[in-house]
Amino acid sequence: MVTTMKTNRVYKILIAFGTAIGFTLPAYAENGSIEAFGGNANTTLDAKLSFPLTEKTGFFLRERVDAGYDASVGSFTLVDFVYTLPAGFTLLVEGQAYSHSGIVSRFGADYFSKAGNFKSYSAVTIKATEEPNAELTMRLTYSPKVSENLQLFSQIEAIGDMGLNGHQWSTERLRLGIERDAYRAGVGADLSQTKTLLDGYNVGVFIGKNF
């Protein structure tokens, strides 16, 4: 019991520290986005921030904090050190930390492209230590104009882990709304699967901002 209480206290401190970093650093980032999403299961804050070091190197930070309606709180922190290659490719060394587990190191590459109103991002990273796996990320965004000042905002983000025994888990985040200048709002759904089963969903509304 004492050990559990101490562990929970450490997790709360880490969550508070990660939240402070993720949601106060935007003022120092070159670009990024922040989103608040409230659904039937929980409320999520999601920040993505990019920090250049040199012309070809930099850091990317992603901080997600989930607050359940039962007073549970969890967080996910991702930090990439990136090296830019030609034609939209990037090499990266990555650290991931969940509030319920330790730090995981990964390495891999990603790719970004933009054509008109369509943007795509994809990444593959490898965990080469114990229980190795590959993590695949894809994010597709389509934002055509619907009037002089408004754009449609549609996005799907899919993330999945594949281990030596096949599919481990995956999640999909769907967004559909309206965007004006750097702000957007609309409806969305977060889905999660373990193995082949849909084991969680969060349907609600979101607001966000690019900077």
Side-chain angles (χ1 to χ4, degrees):
M1 175 66 73
V2 174
T3 301
T4 301
M5 291 178 63
K6 288 183 178 179
T7 302
N8 290 338
R9 187 178 303 166
V10 170
Y11 285 160
K12 288 179 181 179
I13 292 172
L14 290 175
I15 291 169
F17 181 69
T19 304
I21 292 176
F23 298 105
T24 58
L25 282 181
Y28 304 96
E30 181 182 65
N31 57 65
S33 65
I34 188 167
E35 179 194 87
F37 176 61
N40 61 286
N42 58 44
T43 298
T44 302
L45 296 176
D46 189 356
K48 306 184 191 81
L49 310 169
S50 295
F51 303 89
L53 293 176
T54 67
E55 184 179 349
K56 291 190 174 183
T57 63
F59 283 99
F60 172 77
L61 168 68
R62 184 169 190 175
E63 179 73 23
R64 287 179 57 86
V65 178
D66 298 307
Y69 303 122
D70 59 354
S72 62
V73 179
S75 72
F76 168 72
T77 302
L78 178 149
V79 180
D80 289 343
F81 173 75
V82 300
Y83 181 83
T84 303
L85 299 174
F89 289 94
T90 302
L91 297 178
L92 58 91
V93 177
E94 182 172 279
Q96 296 182 357
Y98 292 86
S99 56
H100 60 272
S101 61
I103 297 174
V104 177
S105 57
R106 314 181 69 92
F107 65 92
D110 63 16
Y111 175 73
F112 175 80
S113 66
K114 181 178 180 180
N117 299 315
F118 182 79
K119 294 186 289 186
S120 69
Y121 170 83
S122 55
V124 178
T125 61
I126 304 295
K127 175 188 174 186
T129 55
E130 59 184 54
E131 299 181 1
N133 63 30
E135 186 168 286
L136 292 81
T137 301
M138 177 170 287
R139 184 163 57 250
L140 305 175
T141 307
Y142 182 59
S143 301
K145 275 196 170 186
V146 295
S147 71
E148 183 178 352
N149 297 317
L150 293 178
Q151 290 176 276
L152 175 72
F153 178 79
S154 58
Q155 184 179 88
I156 178 171
E157 179 181 54
I159 304 173
D161 267 26
M162 301 290 292
L164 298 178
N165 297 319
H167 176 257
Q168 295 179 327
W169 64 266
S170 57
T171 184
E172 298 82 35
R173 302 182 180 112
L174 313 175
R175 302 291 186 267
L176 180 63
I178 294 295
E179 190 170 32
R180 178 168 181 171
D181 299 326
Y183 296 89
R184 60 183 182 269
V187 296
D190 291 354
L191 312 175
S192 61
Q193 300 86 30
T194 303
K195 301 298 182 182
T196 60
L197 300 176
L198 176 67
D199 59 5
Y201 62 90
N202 192 33
V203 179
V205 296
F206 73 91
I207 57 172
K209 182 182 186 299
N210 295 325
F211 48 85

